[in-house]
Amino acid sequence: MKIPLSMPVFDEEMRNAALDALQNERFVMGESVFKFEEEFARYCGTKYAVSTGSGTSALQLSLIALGVAPGDDVVTTPFSFVATANAALHVGATPVFADVDVGTCNLDVELAKEKVNEKTRAIIPVHLYGFPANMKSILDAFGDRDCAVVEDACQAHGAEYYGRRVGALGNVGCFSFYSSKNMTVCGDGGMVVTNDEEVARKVAKLRDCGRASHYEHDLIGFTARLNTVNAAIGRVQLKKLDDWNEKRRTCAELYEKLLSNTADVILPPNGNSDVKPVYHLYVIRTSQRDKLKIWLEQNGVQCGVHYPIPIHLQPAYRKLFAYKGGEFPRSELLSKTVLSLPMYPELTKDEIEYVCEKIHDFFD
Ligand SMILES: Cc1ncc(COP(=O)(O)O)c(C=O)c1O
């Protein structure tokens, strides 16, 4: 057996949509871009959606549009993809880390509250692995301060939180359509969703060279647009997202059934009727992570580690902020124990049974 960690889908309908867009629309800012934005906003339940060239630019442009500037602090988690914190640095602000809750791997809100001071202008909770962050507490704690809540929903397309989709809960939600995500545009891409008209307008200008009109630029903008062909593919993927997420949940249920009560394996948190994760990744924890990973890969099961180095210990961050290790012990522990198992909608029952059997063999 050879079982990959993830498997992006590119089918006939997507191929046709891509070809149609290439042949009949402008390559840049074609009709598909605006249709995709409309459909994505409707899907998330927000008034506006503005596409960008990546999840990283979605975060960066959101922060700029919200007025985050040099000298400001942005509170976030050290246990995420590095782009979450980079976004703060890209706008000249300082990422201020607060450690995570070990059970969910998401921001510990009590610790985040301790990091707030008069310079704090934004908080970026991440819905890591597709599991919604504790947004009620985050909005209670930060909602009425002069501090924007920017959801990093780059791993959580379609996840639900008390009847609403993530991304639509804070001031702004940011998505990535990188090829391994629950939905992709078969290339790089991103989206900002919001109910704030001014923020939406600003992001739309910032991603398009700061354009007010074709020859007039009233903001210092970027070239951070989503290409038309990618938007056309994204529209097809979006139609399939709910079905794919449901299939991921079914895979997670089977993993849970087959792996519960395995000594030295901690399973990811379950959802419930209010908090519905989308299992971008299925991440177990074990003290024997590295050995188990080698064993599974020897047996044809591709695994991943998200993430082996917490952001504050990345070389670039050590250099900038002199982190030495020990500052965020929970994230550091997670980085040594997390293991991502294969997870994608078309993963079969037989394949999951095989993976779990190999995990049992390892511990036996
Ligand atoms: C949590 C998180 N934030 C931000 C990003 C950045 O998205 P992109 O790779 O599209 O720039 C990613 C994507 O990998 C991510 O997983």
Side-chain angles (χ1 to χ4, degrees), residues 54-57 59 80-81 83-84 126 128 152 154-155 176-178 181 188-189 307:
S54 67
T56 304
S57 21
L59 288 163
S80 178
F81 183 58
T84 306
V126 180
L128 200 72
D152 182 337
C154 286
Q155 300 190 358
S176 163
F177 300 121
Y178 178 72
K181 304 300 188 201
D188 279 314
Y307 295 91

Side-chain angles (χ1 to χ4, degrees), residues 223-361:
T223 300
R225 297 169 295 239
L226 180 67
N227 289 315
T228 304
V229 59
N230 296 108
I233 296 169
R235 293 185 66 203
V236 181
Q237 294 245 343
L238 180 59
K239 286 195 289 180
K240 305 185 186 232
L241 178 62
D242 281 343
D243 177 47
W244 287 341
N245 282 341
E246 217 34 65
K247 287 182 171 152
R248 285 175 183 270
R249 290 187 182 117
T250 305
C251 293
E253 270 168 32
L254 186 55
Y255 270 130
E256 156 102 25
K257 187 171 144 215
L258 298 176
L259 291 178
S260 54
N261 305 320
T262 311
D264 197 11
V265 171
I266 300 172
L267 300 179
N270 284 321
N272 56 43
S273 54
D274 293 322
V275 178
K276 296 186 184 164
V278 288
Y279 297 98
H280 168 55
L281 295 165
Y282 191 84
V283 179
I284 62 169
R285 288 189 278 140
T286 170
S287 64
Q288 304 196 55
R289 194 269 309 282
D290 292 336
K291 284 190 194 144
L292 177 59
K293 182 171 187 288
I294 292 169
W295 163 257
L296 286 173
E297 290 186 341
Q298 280 169 346
N299 283 282
V301 178
Q302 190 189 15
C303 301
V305 175
H306 302 86
Y307 295 91
I309 307 176
I311 301 176
H312 66 291
L313 297 182
Q314 290 290 351
Y317 280 77
R318 283 180 185 260
K319 230 183 277 168
L320 273 176
F321 300 103
Y323 287 119
K324 301 234 168 332
E327 291 89 356
F328 303 103
R330 298 178 187 170
S331 297
E332 291 169 31
L333 174 72
L334 287 171
S335 70
K336 295 187 181 85
T337 54
V338 288
L339 182 68
S340 309
L341 302 180
M343 172 54 84
Y344 47 92
E346 301 311 322
L347 188 64
T348 66
K349 183 168 176 281
D350 283 355
E351 286 168 332
I352 295 174
E353 282 171 355
Y354 175 81
V355 175
C356 296
E357 188 190 303
K358 291 295 155 200
I359 292 174
H360 288 297
D361 288 351

Side-chain angles (χ1 to χ4, degrees), residues 79-93:
F79 197 62
S80 178
F81 183 58
V82 68
T84 306
N86 286 355
L89 286 165
H90 285 315
V91 305

Side-chain angles (χ1 to χ4, degrees), residues 17 21 25 30-37 39 51 185 226-237:
E25 297 182 35
E31 200 188 346
S32 291
V33 172
F34 301 101
K35 286 193 172 154
F36 185 34
E37 292 176 344
E39 289 157 5
S51 59
V185 294
L226 180 67
N227 289 315
T228 304
V229 59
N230 296 108
I233 296 169
R235 293 185 66 203
V236 181
Q237 294 245 343

